[in-house]
Amino acid sequence: LDQATIRTARKEAGKTFEAARKLGDIKTDATYASEVDAIANQYRSAAREAPGLVKADIENVAAAIKQPQFTANGAVDIMNVLREDATRAFASKDNRLGFANKRAADALEGQIERHAQKMAVGSDGAGDPAIANIVSDIRKARVTIAKSYLAERAIGPNEQFNPQVYA
């Protein structure tokens, strides 16, 4: 097991999201709105109490994705950008921005899943069961992707396994 193998496995798991691109228009729901609002709420409160303490970047993340609807294709792209931005923020030790981007991506992913679940059932009960597989596959892919990041950290840049990462 090496870094290249781990990245290849993660890339393969990421292909699962390609099927989600075909889910049409996604109207955001109250759960999504609540999750997006929660991203910036604690920072808004801190900013009111101590102006200048909180940078606007976290507010900007929440504002950018607070939309009434997305195309599924666009939602997948946005989710990927948010995850890349989260990785970059964590790497630069900006954990607040990293967590904001991660939570935003998670909220969008949850919305995609809820949309797919509705499509799988259908409004008349005669939905498309193949779409239920997309939801299941997305969940499995997220687990694989998360495990791949943990394995990547455990292997390390020098290809030496560090079991403490799993402790």
Side-chain angles (χ1 to χ4, degrees):
L1 188 63
D2 61 12
Q3 296 287 355
T5 303
I6 293 167
R7 284 191 291 274
T8 299
R10 184 169 47 236
K11 188 174 183 178
E12 284 300 311
K15 289 180 181 177
T16 302
F17 289 93
E18 293 307 306
R21 291 181 180 280
K22 300 175 183 138
L23 294 175
D25 290 336
I26 301 172
K27 291 185 179 166
T28 58
D29 58 20
T31 300
Y32 176 79
S34 176
E35 290 172 348
V36 171
D37 285 343
I39 293 168
N41 277 346
Q42 90 179 71
Y43 299 106
R44 286 183 195 127
S45 174
R48 279 192 301 274
E49 298 295 324
L53 176 67
V54 179
K55 297 181 280 184
D57 49 3
I58 293 169
E59 180 72 38
N60 293 342
V61 169
I65 66 164
K66 189 166 184 166
Q67 303 294 327
Q69 73 178 38
F70 297 95
T71 64
N73 186 52
V76 170
D77 287 339
I78 294 165
M79 190 175 60
N80 289 337
V81 167
L82 289 166
R83 291 202 189 286
E84 289 168 7
D85 287 352
T87 299
R88 210 172 2 267
F90 285 130
S92 68
K93 307 293 186 213
D94 189 347
N95 289 342
R96 290 188 299 184
L97 184 57
F99 282 118
N101 277 291
K102 182 185 177 311
R103 288 176 67 194
D106 290 347
L108 197 51
E109 182 177 325
Q111 182 63 73
I112 292 169
E113 284 187 14
R114 289 189 300 279
H115 174 72
Q117 287 170 335
K118 283 182 186 175
M119 289 181 71
V121 173
S123 59
D124 59 359
D128 184 350
I131 294 177
N133 292 338
I134 292 173
V135 174
S136 174
D137 291 347
I138 287 172
R139 288 181 179 154
K140 288 176 190 171
R142 285 300 315 141
V143 170
T144 299
I145 291 166
K147 287 179 180 179
S148 77
Y149 280 108
L150 190 59
E152 192 172 51
R153 283 200 323 267
I155 297 294
N158 60 359
E159 304 290 328
Q160 298 294 316
F161 181 72
N162 177 1
Q164 290 299 108
V165 170
Y166 288 96

